[in-house]
mmCIF file with all atom_site columns, all heavy atoms in Angstrom:
data_model
loop_
_atom_site.group_PDB
_atom_site.id
_atom_site.type_symbol
_atom_site.label_atom_id
_atom_site.label_alt_id
_atom_site.label_comp_id
_atom_site.label_asym_id
_atom_site.label_entity_id
_atom_site.label_seq_id
_atom_site.pdbx_PDB_ins_code
_atom_site.Cartn_x
_atom_site.Cartn_y
_atom_site.Cartn_z
_atom_site.occupancy
_atom_site.B_iso_or_equiv
_atom_site.pdbx_formal_charge
_atom_site.auth_seq_id
_atom_site.auth_comp_id
_atom_site.auth_asym_id
_atom_site.auth_atom_id
_atom_site.pdbx_PDB_model_num
ATOM 1   N N   . VAL A 1 33 ? -33.565 -4.228  -41.510 1.00 97.00 ? 33 VAL A N   1
ATOM 2   C CA  . VAL A 1 33 ? -32.392 -4.597  -42.306 1.00 97.00 ? 33 VAL A CA  1
ATOM 3   C C   . VAL A 1 33 ? -32.638 -4.212  -43.763 1.00 97.00 ? 33 VAL A C   1
ATOM 4   O O   . VAL A 1 33 ? -33.754 -4.359  -44.274 1.00 97.00 ? 33 VAL A O   1
ATOM 5   C CB  . VAL A 1 33 ? -32.084 -6.112  -42.181 1.00 97.00 ? 33 VAL A CB  1
ATOM 6   C CG1 . VAL A 1 33 ? -33.245 -6.962  -42.698 1.00 97.00 ? 33 VAL A CG1 1
ATOM 7   C CG2 . VAL A 1 33 ? -30.787 -6.483  -42.894 1.00 97.00 ? 33 VAL A CG2 1
ATOM 8   N N   . ASP A 1 34 ? -31.604 -3.702  -44.412 1.00 94.00 ? 34 ASP A N   1
ATOM 9   C CA  . ASP A 1 34 ? -31.723 -3.246  -45.807 1.00 94.00 ? 34 ASP A CA  1
ATOM 10  C C   . ASP A 1 34 ? -31.636 -4.449  -46.737 1.00 94.00 ? 34 ASP A C   1
ATOM 11  O O   . ASP A 1 34 ? -30.683 -4.612  -47.491 1.00 94.00 ? 34 ASP A O   1
ATOM 12  C CB  . ASP A 1 34 ? -30.609 -2.243  -46.115 1.00 94.00 ? 34 ASP A CB  1
ATOM 13  C CG  . ASP A 1 34 ? -30.790 -1.582  -47.481 1.00 94.00 ? 34 ASP A CG  1
ATOM 14  O OD1 . ASP A 1 34 ? -31.901 -1.654  -48.022 1.00 94.00 ? 34 ASP A OD1 1
ATOM 15  O OD2 . ASP A 1 34 ? -29.812 -1.006  -47.983 1.00 94.00 ? 34 ASP A OD2 1
ATOM 16  N N   . SER A 1 35 ? -32.666 -5.277  -46.681 1.00 91.00 ? 35 SER A N   1
ATOM 17  C CA  . SER A 1 35 ? -32.628 -6.560  -47.386 1.00 91.00 ? 35 SER A CA  1
ATOM 18  C C   . SER A 1 35 ? -33.452 -6.584  -48.663 1.00 91.00 ? 35 SER A C   1
ATOM 19  O O   . SER A 1 35 ? -33.307 -7.521  -49.463 1.00 91.00 ? 35 SER A O   1
ATOM 20  C CB  . SER A 1 35 ? -33.124 -7.677  -46.458 1.00 91.00 ? 35 SER A CB  1
ATOM 21  O OG  . SER A 1 35 ? -34.416 -7.365  -45.962 1.00 91.00 ? 35 SER A OG  1
ATOM 22  N N   . GLU A 1 36 ? -34.315 -5.602  -48.877 1.00 86.00 ? 36 GLU A N   1
ATOM 23  C CA  . GLU A 1 36 ? -35.181 -5.667  -50.053 1.00 86.00 ? 36 GLU A CA  1
ATOM 24  C C   . GLU A 1 36 ? -34.388 -5.735  -51.365 1.00 86.00 ? 36 GLU A C   1
ATOM 25  O O   . GLU A 1 36 ? -34.734 -6.523  -52.259 1.00 86.00 ? 36 GLU A O   1
ATOM 26  C CB  . GLU A 1 36 ? -36.159 -4.497  -50.068 1.00 86.00 ? 36 GLU A CB  1
ATOM 27  C CG  . GLU A 1 36 ? -37.181 -4.511  -48.931 1.00 86.00 ? 36 GLU A CG  1
ATOM 28  C CD  . GLU A 1 36 ? -38.106 -5.715  -48.942 1.00 86.00 ? 36 GLU A CD  1
ATOM 29  O OE1 . GLU A 1 36 ? -38.086 -6.496  -49.912 1.00 86.00 ? 36 GLU A OE1 1
ATOM 30  O OE2 . GLU A 1 36 ? -38.858 -5.884  -47.974 1.00 86.00 ? 36 GLU A OE2 1
ATOM 31  N N   . PRO A 1 37 ? -33.310 -4.942  -51.535 1.00 88.00 ? 37 PRO A N   1
ATOM 32  C CA  . PRO A 1 37 ? -32.516 -5.104  -52.765 1.00 88.00 ? 37 PRO A CA  1
ATOM 33  C C   . PRO A 1 37 ? -31.909 -6.488  -52.898 1.00 88.00 ? 37 PRO A C   1
ATOM 34  O O   . PRO A 1 37 ? -31.795 -7.024  -54.013 1.00 88.00 ? 37 PRO A O   1
ATOM 35  C CB  . PRO A 1 37 ? -31.428 -4.032  -52.629 1.00 88.00 ? 37 PRO A CB  1
ATOM 36  C CG  . PRO A 1 37 ? -31.981 -3.031  -51.674 1.00 88.00 ? 37 PRO A CG  1
ATOM 37  C CD  . PRO A 1 37 ? -32.808 -3.822  -50.706 1.00 88.00 ? 37 PRO A CD  1
ATOM 38  N N   . LEU A 1 38 ? -31.536 -7.090  -51.770 1.00 92.00 ? 38 LEU A N   1
ATOM 39  C CA  . LEU A 1 38 ? -30.933 -8.425  -51.789 1.00 92.00 ? 38 LEU A CA  1
ATOM 40  C C   . LEU A 1 38 ? -31.980 -9.486  -52.106 1.00 92.00 ? 38 LEU A C   1
ATOM 41  O O   . LEU A 1 38 ? -31.694 -10.458 -52.819 1.00 92.00 ? 38 LEU A O   1
ATOM 42  C CB  . LEU A 1 38 ? -30.253 -8.716  -50.454 1.00 92.00 ? 38 LEU A CB  1
ATOM 43  C CG  . LEU A 1 38 ? -29.175 -7.700  -50.045 1.00 92.00 ? 38 LEU A CG  1
ATOM 44  C CD1 . LEU A 1 38 ? -28.588 -8.047  -48.687 1.00 92.00 ? 38 LEU A CD1 1
ATOM 45  C CD2 . LEU A 1 38 ? -28.068 -7.637  -51.096 1.00 92.00 ? 38 LEU A CD2 1
ATOM 46  N N   . TRP A 1 39 ? -33.198 -9.296  -51.589 1.00 88.00 ? 39 TRP A N   1
ATOM 47  C CA  . TRP A 1 39 ? -34.299 -10.183 -51.966 1.00 88.00 ? 39 TRP A CA  1
ATOM 48  C C   . TRP A 1 39 ? -34.542 -10.107 -53.474 1.00 88.00 ? 39 TRP A C   1
ATOM 49  O O   . TRP A 1 39 ? -34.706 -11.130 -54.146 1.00 88.00 ? 39 TRP A O   1
ATOM 50  C CB  . TRP A 1 39 ? -35.586 -9.781  -51.233 1.00 88.00 ? 39 TRP A CB  1
ATOM 51  C CG  . TRP A 1 39 ? -35.806 -10.427 -49.907 1.00 88.00 ? 39 TRP A CG  1
ATOM 52  C CD1 . TRP A 1 39 ? -35.672 -9.866  -48.676 1.00 88.00 ? 39 TRP A CD1 1
ATOM 53  C CD2 . TRP A 1 39 ? -36.215 -11.782 -49.674 1.00 88.00 ? 39 TRP A CD2 1
ATOM 54  N NE1 . TRP A 1 39 ? -35.970 -10.779 -47.692 1.00 88.00 ? 39 TRP A NE1 1
ATOM 55  C CE2 . TRP A 1 39 ? -36.321 -11.951 -48.273 1.00 88.00 ? 39 TRP A CE2 1
ATOM 56  C CE3 . TRP A 1 39 ? -36.508 -12.859 -50.523 1.00 88.00 ? 39 TRP A CE3 1
ATOM 57  C CZ2 . TRP A 1 39 ? -36.698 -13.173 -47.695 1.00 88.00 ? 39 TRP A CZ2 1
ATOM 58  C CZ3 . TRP A 1 39 ? -36.890 -14.061 -49.947 1.00 88.00 ? 39 TRP A CZ3 1
ATOM 59  C CH2 . TRP A 1 39 ? -36.979 -14.213 -48.555 1.00 88.00 ? 39 TRP A CH2 1
ATOM 60  N N   . GLY A 1 40 ? -34.578 -8.888  -53.999 1.00 88.00 ? 40 GLY A N   1
ATOM 61  C CA  . GLY A 1 40 ? -34.803 -8.723  -55.437 1.00 88.00 ? 40 GLY A CA  1
ATOM 62  C C   . GLY A 1 40 ? -33.733 -9.398  -56.259 1.00 88.00 ? 40 GLY A C   1
ATOM 63  O O   . GLY A 1 40 ? -34.030 -10.078 -57.260 1.00 88.00 ? 40 GLY A O   1
ATOM 64  N N   . LEU A 1 41 ? -32.477 -9.226  -55.855 1.00 91.00 ? 41 LEU A N   1
ATOM 65  C CA  . LEU A 1 41 ? -31.365 -9.845  -56.575 1.00 91.00 ? 41 LEU A CA  1
ATOM 66  C C   . LEU A 1 41 ? -31.445 -11.364 -56.507 1.00 91.00 ? 41 LEU A C   1
ATOM 67  O O   . LEU A 1 41 ? -31.275 -12.054 -57.522 1.00 91.00 ? 41 LEU A O   1
ATOM 68  C CB  . LEU A 1 41 ? -30.038 -9.352  -55.983 1.00 91.00 ? 41 LEU A CB  1
ATOM 69  C CG  . LEU A 1 41 ? -28.753 -9.867  -56.642 1.00 91.00 ? 41 LEU A CG  1
ATOM 70  C CD1 . LEU A 1 41 ? -28.706 -9.480  -58.114 1.00 91.00 ? 41 LEU A CD1 1
ATOM 71  C CD2 . LEU A 1 41 ? -27.534 -9.310  -55.897 1.00 91.00 ? 41 LEU A CD2 1
ATOM 72  N N   . ALA A 1 42 ? -31.713 -11.898 -55.317 1.00 93.00 ? 42 ALA A N   1
ATOM 73  C CA  . ALA A 1 42 ? -31.808 -13.353 -55.163 1.00 93.00 ? 42 ALA A CA  1
ATOM 74  C C   . ALA A 1 42 ? -32.946 -13.920 -56.001 1.00 93.00 ? 42 ALA A C   1
ATOM 75  O O   . ALA A 1 42 ? -32.782 -14.959 -56.671 1.00 93.00 ? 42 ALA A O   1
ATOM 76  C CB  . ALA A 1 42 ? -32.007 -13.707 -53.689 1.00 93.00 ? 42 ALA A CB  1
ATOM 77  N N   . MET A 1 43 ? -34.087 -13.251 -55.989 1.00 91.00 ? 43 MET A N   1
ATOM 78  C CA  . MET A 1 43 ? -35.220 -13.743 -56.776 1.00 91.00 ? 43 MET A CA  1
ATOM 79  C C   . MET A 1 43 ? -34.915 -13.717 -58.266 1.00 91.00 ? 43 MET A C   1
ATOM 80  O O   . MET A 1 43 ? -35.200 -14.679 -58.982 1.00 91.00 ? 43 MET A O   1
ATOM 81  C CB  . MET A 1 43 ? -36.472 -12.927 -56.462 1.00 91.00 ? 43 MET A CB  1
ATOM 82  C CG  . MET A 1 43 ? -37.092 -13.261 -55.122 1.00 91.00 ? 43 MET A CG  1
ATOM 83  S SD  . MET A 1 43 ? -38.787 -12.624 -54.942 1.00 91.00 ? 43 MET A SD  1
ATOM 84  C CE  . MET A 1 43 ? -38.501 -10.863 -54.960 1.00 91.00 ? 43 MET A CE  1
ATOM 85  N N   . ARG A 1 44 ? -34.319 -12.627 -58.728 1.00 92.00 ? 44 ARG A N   1
ATOM 86  C CA  . ARG A 1 44 ? -34.025 -12.538 -60.161 1.00 92.00 ? 44 ARG A CA  1
ATOM 87  C C   . ARG A 1 44 ? -33.018 -13.607 -60.578 1.00 92.00 ? 44 ARG A C   1
ATOM 88  O O   . ARG A 1 44 ? -33.155 -14.217 -61.654 1.00 92.00 ? 44 ARG A O   1
ATOM 89  C CB  . ARG A 1 44 ? -33.516 -11.141 -60.512 1.00 92.00 ? 44 ARG A CB  1
ATOM 90  C CG  . ARG A 1 44 ? -34.610 -10.071 -60.448 1.00 92.00 ? 44 ARG A CG  1
ATOM 91  C CD  . ARG A 1 44 ? -34.184 -8.759  -61.072 1.00 92.00 ? 44 ARG A CD  1
ATOM 92  N NE  . ARG A 1 44 ? -33.116 -8.109  -60.331 1.00 92.00 ? 44 ARG A NE  1
ATOM 93  C CZ  . ARG A 1 44 ? -33.314 -7.321  -59.287 1.00 92.00 ? 44 ARG A CZ  1
ATOM 94  N NH1 . ARG A 1 44 ? -34.534 -7.107  -58.826 1.00 92.00 ? 44 ARG A NH1 1
ATOM 95  N NH2 . ARG A 1 44 ? -32.292 -6.749  -58.678 1.00 92.00 ? 44 ARG A NH2 1
ATOM 96  N N   . GLU A 1 45 ? -32.018 -13.857 -59.727 1.00 94.00 ? 45 GLU A N   1
ATOM 97  C CA  . GLU A 1 45 ? -31.019 -14.879 -60.054 1.00 94.00 ? 45 GLU A CA  1
ATOM 98  C C   . GLU A 1 45 ? -31.637 -16.274 -60.096 1.00 94.00 ? 45 GLU A C   1
ATOM 99  O O   . GLU A 1 45 ? -31.390 -17.038 -61.033 1.00 94.00 ? 45 GLU A O   1
ATOM 100 C CB  . GLU A 1 45 ? -29.888 -14.838 -59.016 1.00 94.00 ? 45 GLU A CB  1
ATOM 101 C CG  . GLU A 1 45 ? -28.977 -13.626 -59.142 1.00 94.00 ? 45 GLU A CG  1
ATOM 102 C CD  . GLU A 1 45 ? -27.900 -13.591 -58.079 1.00 94.00 ? 45 GLU A CD  1
ATOM 103 O OE1 . GLU A 1 45 ? -27.929 -14.453 -57.159 1.00 94.00 ? 45 GLU A OE1 1
ATOM 104 O OE2 . GLU A 1 45 ? -27.027 -12.714 -58.151 1.00 94.00 ? 45 GLU A OE2 1
ATOM 105 N N   . VAL A 1 46 ? -32.442 -16.608 -59.094 1.00 96.00 ? 46 VAL A N   1
ATOM 106 C CA  . VAL A 1 46 ? -33.020 -17.951 -59.040 1.00 96.00 ? 46 VAL A CA  1
ATOM 107 C C   . VAL A 1 46 ? -34.091 -18.126 -60.108 1.00 96.00 ? 46 VAL A C   1
ATOM 108 O O   . VAL A 1 46 ? -34.149 -19.163 -60.788 1.00 96.00 ? 46 VAL A O   1
ATOM 109 C CB  . VAL A 1 46 ? -33.581 -18.249 -57.634 1.00 96.00 ? 46 VAL A CB  1
ATOM 110 C CG1 . VAL A 1 46 ? -34.295 -19.605 -57.623 1.00 96.00 ? 46 VAL A CG1 1
ATOM 111 C CG2 . VAL A 1 46 ? -32.459 -18.234 -56.599 1.00 96.00 ? 46 VAL A CG2 1
ATOM 112 N N   . PHE A 1 47 ? -34.935 -17.129 -60.300 1.00 95.00 ? 47 PHE A N   1
ATOM 113 C CA  . PHE A 1 47 ? -35.968 -17.241 -61.331 1.00 95.00 ? 47 PHE A CA  1
ATOM 114 C C   . PHE A 1 47 ? -35.354 -17.370 -62.726 1.00 95.00 ? 47 PHE A C   1
ATOM 115 O O   . PHE A 1 47 ? -35.932 -18.011 -63.613 1.00 95.00 ? 47 PHE A O   1
ATOM 116 C CB  . PHE A 1 47 ? -36.917 -16.050 -61.283 1.00 95.00 ? 47 PHE A CB  1
ATOM 117 C CG  . PHE A 1 47 ? -38.006 -16.171 -60.246 1.00 95.00 ? 47 PHE A CG  1
ATOM 118 C CD1 . PHE A 1 47 ? -38.173 -15.204 -59.265 1.00 95.00 ? 47 PHE A CD1 1
ATOM 119 C CD2 . PHE A 1 47 ? -38.869 -17.256 -60.245 1.00 95.00 ? 47 PHE A CD2 1
ATOM 120 C CE1 . PHE A 1 47 ? -39.167 -15.308 -58.317 1.00 95.00 ? 47 PHE A CE1 1
ATOM 121 C CE2 . PHE A 1 47 ? -39.875 -17.377 -59.305 1.00 95.00 ? 47 PHE A CE2 1
ATOM 122 C CZ  . PHE A 1 47 ? -40.017 -16.406 -58.323 1.00 95.00 ? 47 PHE A CZ  1
ATOM 123 N N   . SER A 1 48 ? -34.189 -16.775 -62.923 1.00 94.00 ? 48 SER A N   1
ATOM 124 C CA  . SER A 1 48 ? -33.546 -16.883 -64.238 1.00 94.00 ? 48 SER A CA  1
ATOM 125 C C   . SER A 1 48 ? -33.156 -18.323 -64.556 1.00 94.00 ? 48 SER A C   1
ATOM 126 O O   . SER A 1 48 ? -33.066 -18.700 -65.723 1.00 94.00 ? 48 SER A O   1
ATOM 127 C CB  . SER A 1 48 ? -32.312 -15.977 -64.311 1.00 94.00 ? 48 SER A CB  1
ATOM 128 O OG  . SER A 1 48 ? -31.265 -16.465 -63.490 1.00 94.00 ? 48 SER A OG  1
#
Side-chain angles (χ1 to χ4, degrees):
V33 61
D34 188 17
S35 55
E36 294 298 352
L38 303 178
W39 271 106
L41 182 59
M43 285 195 294
R44 289 192 294 275
E45 288 178 354
V46 175
F47 278 123
S48 70

